[in-house]
């Protein structure tokens, strides 16, 4: 029996440990820890990578979403359309502004927001549509932009799981008027702590985001708005600069491993495997399969030494935190069905093909 963790960051760090240590020393020696040259440089490099004019680095993913909403003027009385299937932070960023979340059910095939159902819930109060590129797979961003243009609302991408993903070669994080992402350690581009960023082509929003993340200050000791403290620190920026250079390689590796899983597992049991349209480059943040026998499969794999996870066992509308909003079981049946049948299999850059093979063999053994 092999022991296979759900995720290991060790192979990534093994490859760049020396460079990280050099950077660590450089930042300590320079002694400039907040909003210095490393953050500046990272912002330029991440903007270039994403194919946008501006990047504003912030403290975490939640703040990147919250600041994006705030600088578009979203607040009490406004509505923001969000996917029913996502992790809680997507919703919480909206709730923190005082605006109302208006969830839309998931597409049963892509797990992303069901574009066809968006139009049914757009109202005069809708300010923003906030798609999530869930599990690394781009949402139907072009169609969503068309709807937003017709209905005169904005698009903010939650690209926390989509670093490096693209549609027809255009990177996610560049479609919305303003886009948000997280560098939580386990994301495709992960810091060694918390981090996040906003990406946009809009000069005015770039300035507003810079101001808002730093107590609403555009000049030292002068404050234009009541902002927050949400700055990426120099050490994280320095580390992210090193990791950004490897992101494409690591994403290609994720996709190769995913392709190997798919070759191994096609037609096994009642399993549904992820599949993407040709125009779509998924960053495979997670490798998520579906089966009606999810719980027994998970248990069996645990017994075989294989760690798996569920993203997510409970959708936001059924969380206690949102219990006062009047949702119940059945409110978003597709998202609920997905949550009951999905399983995330181990996948990380540096995972060995033999390990994918072992997991695949065990899955086959379970269904036989
Ligand atoms: C991780 C994540 C967030 C939150 O990011 P943090 O940096 O943990 O605040 C938001 N949305 C999605 C889709 C995420 O995966």
């Amino acid at each position: 029996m092999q022991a296979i963790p759900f995720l290991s960051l060790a192979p990534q760090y093994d490859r760049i440990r020396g460079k990280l240590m050099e950077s660590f020393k450089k930042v300590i020696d320079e002694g400039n820890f907040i909003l210095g040259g490393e953050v500046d440089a990272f912002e330029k490099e991440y903007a270039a990578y994403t194919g946008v004019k501006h990047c504003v680095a912030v403290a975490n993913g939640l703040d990147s979403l919250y600041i994006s909403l705030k600088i578009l003027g979203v607040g009490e009385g406004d509505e923001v359309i969000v996917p029913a299937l996502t992790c809680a932070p997507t919703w919480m960023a909206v709730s923190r502004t005082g605006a109302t979340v208006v969830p839309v059910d998931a597409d049963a095939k892509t797990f992303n927001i069901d574009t066809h159902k968006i139009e049914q819930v757009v109202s005069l109060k809708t300010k923003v549509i906030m798609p999530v590129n869930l599990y690394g797979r781009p949402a139907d961003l072009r169609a969503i932009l068309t709807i937003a243009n017709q209905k005169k609302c904005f698009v903010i991408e939650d690209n926390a799981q989509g670093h490096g993903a693209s549609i027809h070669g255009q990177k996610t994080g560049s479609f919305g008027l303003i886009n948000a992402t997280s560098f939580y350690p386990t994301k495709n581009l992960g810091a060694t702590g918390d981090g996040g960023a906003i990406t946009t082509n809009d000069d005015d929003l770039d300035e507003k985001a810079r101001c808002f993340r730093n107590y609403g200050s555009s000049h030292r000791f002068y404050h234009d708005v009541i902002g927050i403290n949400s700055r990426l620190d120099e050490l994280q920026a320095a580390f992210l600069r090193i990791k950004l250079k490897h992101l494409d390689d690591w994403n290609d590796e994720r996709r190769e491993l995913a392709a190997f899983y798919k070759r191994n597992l096609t037609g096994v049991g009642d399993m549904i495997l992820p599949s993407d349209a040709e125009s779509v480059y998924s960053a495979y943040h997670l490798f998520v399969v579906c089966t009606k026998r999810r719980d027994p499969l998970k248990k069996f794999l645990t017994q075989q030494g294989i760690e798996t996870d569920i993203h997510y066992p409970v959708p936001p509308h059924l969380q206690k935190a949102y219990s006062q909003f009047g949702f119940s079981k059945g409110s978003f049946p597709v998202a609920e069905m997905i949550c009951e049948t999905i399983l995330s299999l181990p996948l990380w850059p540096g995972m060995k093909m033999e390990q994918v093979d072992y997991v695949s063999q065990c899955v086959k053994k379970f269904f036989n």
Side-chain angles (χ1 to χ4, degrees), residues 60-62 65 86-87 89-90 132 158 160-161 182 184 187 195 312:
N60 56 64
L62 178 70
L65 289 163
T86 182
C87 55
T90 311
V132 176
D158 178 344
Q161 303 186 4
S182 160
Y184 184 80
K187 310 289 190 197
Y312 301 90

Side-chain angles (χ1 to χ4, degrees), residues 134-189:
L134 196 69
Y135 311 149
R137 179 191 276 147
D140 195 359
L141 295 169
R142 287 179 170 188
I144 293 169
L145 277 174
T146 305
I147 296 169
N149 286 337
Q150 280 165 2
K151 304 288 182 183
K152 311 247 176 302
C153 47
F154 304 119
V155 171
I156 298 175
E157 281 177 65
D158 178 344
N159 196 36
Q161 303 186 4
H163 308 134
S166 60
I167 302 173
H168 285 294
Q170 182 182 347
K171 291 254 166 63
T172 58
S174 72
F175 286 85
L177 174 62
I178 181 162
N179 307 293
T181 197
S182 160
F183 302 122
Y184 184 80
T186 61
K187 310 289 190 197
N188 287 33
L189 180 61

Side-chain angles (χ1 to χ4, degrees), residues 8-301:
S8 168
L9 298 176
Q12 284 187 27
Y13 281 97
D14 284 346
R15 242 167 101 175
I16 55 172
R17 181 166 282 110
K19 287 214 173 79
L20 293 176
M21 291 307 173
E22 266 172 48
S23 257
F24 184 81
K25 186 172 178 311
K26 184 168 167 257
V27 171
I28 301 282
D29 288 348
E30 283 175 1
N32 187 9
F33 298 112
I34 294 288
L35 297 184
E38 294 291 340
V39 167
D40 260 357
F42 173 69
E43 288 180 338
K44 289 200 174 73
E45 288 159 11
Y46 192 69
Y49 178 83
T50 309
V52 294
K53 258 172 102 177
H54 306 288
C55 164
V56 181
V58 298
N60 56 64
L62 178 70
D63 282 356
S64 70
L65 289 163
Y66 171 70
I67 294 171
S68 300
L69 291 161
K70 287 294 283 186
I71 63 178
L72 288 177
V74 174
E76 220 163 301
D78 295 327
E79 292 180 356
V80 176
I81 293 175
V82 294
L85 180 63
T86 182
C87 55
T90 311
W91 284 39
M92 288 192 179
V94 175
S95 303
R96 190 173 159 197
T97 67
T100 305
V101 282
V102 177
V104 167
D105 210 350
D107 179 289
K109 246 181 119 174
T110 65
F111 303 160
N112 274 321
I113 191 166
D114 187 339
T115 312
H116 303 293
K117 290 186 183 145
I118 293 177
E119 269 174 307
Q120 298 163 14
V121 298
V122 175
S123 79
L124 290 172
K125 292 181 181 169
T126 307
K127 267 251 171 104
V128 170
I129 305 173
M130 210 158 84
V132 176
N133 302 309
L134 196 69
Y135 311 149
R137 179 191 276 147
D140 195 359
L141 295 169
R142 287 179 170 188
I144 293 169
L145 277 174
T146 305
I147 296 169
N149 286 337
Q150 280 165 2
K151 304 288 182 183
K152 311 247 176 302
C153 47
F154 304 119
V155 171
I156 298 175
E157 281 177 65
D158 178 344
N159 196 36
Q161 303 186 4
H163 308 134
S166 60
I167 302 173
H168 285 294
Q170 182 182 347
K171 291 254 166 63
T172 58
S174 72
F175 286 85
L177 174 62
I178 181 162
N179 307 293
T181 197
S182 160
F183 302 122
Y184 184 80
T186 61
K187 310 289 190 197
N188 287 33
L189 180 61
T192 60
D194 277 313
I198 291 161
T199 47
T200 183
N201 282 311
D202 188 292
D203 298 342
D204 180 50
L205 289 172
D206 168 60
E207 255 175 59
K208 282 187 170 144
R210 269 172 213 293
C211 184
F212 200 88
R213 73 167 171 191
N214 193 25
Y215 305 119
S217 167
S218 49
H219 300 285
R220 195 157 173 256
F221 300 136
Y222 290 85
H223 302 268
D224 307 332
V225 294
I226 301 171
I228 59 173
N229 171 2
S230 183
R231 303 169 300 217
L232 185 73
D233 63 71
E234 285 284 290
L235 263 179
Q236 293 307 333
F239 292 163
L240 284 167
R241 289 183 70 196
I242 294 164
K243 295 185 90 180
L244 180 59
K245 293 197 176 77
H246 296 269
L247 179 58
D248 283 343
D249 283 349
W250 286 337
N251 279 348
D252 284 343
E253 229 178 286
R254 286 175 184 274
R255 287 168 56 86
E256 276 168 32
L257 294 162
F260 193 47
Y261 264 130
K262 283 194 252 184
R263 279 201 300 280
N264 284 342
L265 295 176
T266 299
V268 173
D270 69 336
M271 276 216 305
I272 300 169
L273 306 172
S275 76
D276 308 307
E278 221 167 273
S279 56
V280 163
Y281 179 100
S282 168
Y284 277 95
H285 173 59
L286 296 170
F287 188 81
V288 177
V289 301
C290 261
T291 165
K292 290 205 173 75
R293 298 175 66 196
R294 190 266 310 277
D295 291 336
L297 172 62
K298 183 169 178 30
K299 198 172 154 206
F300 179 79
L301 292 177

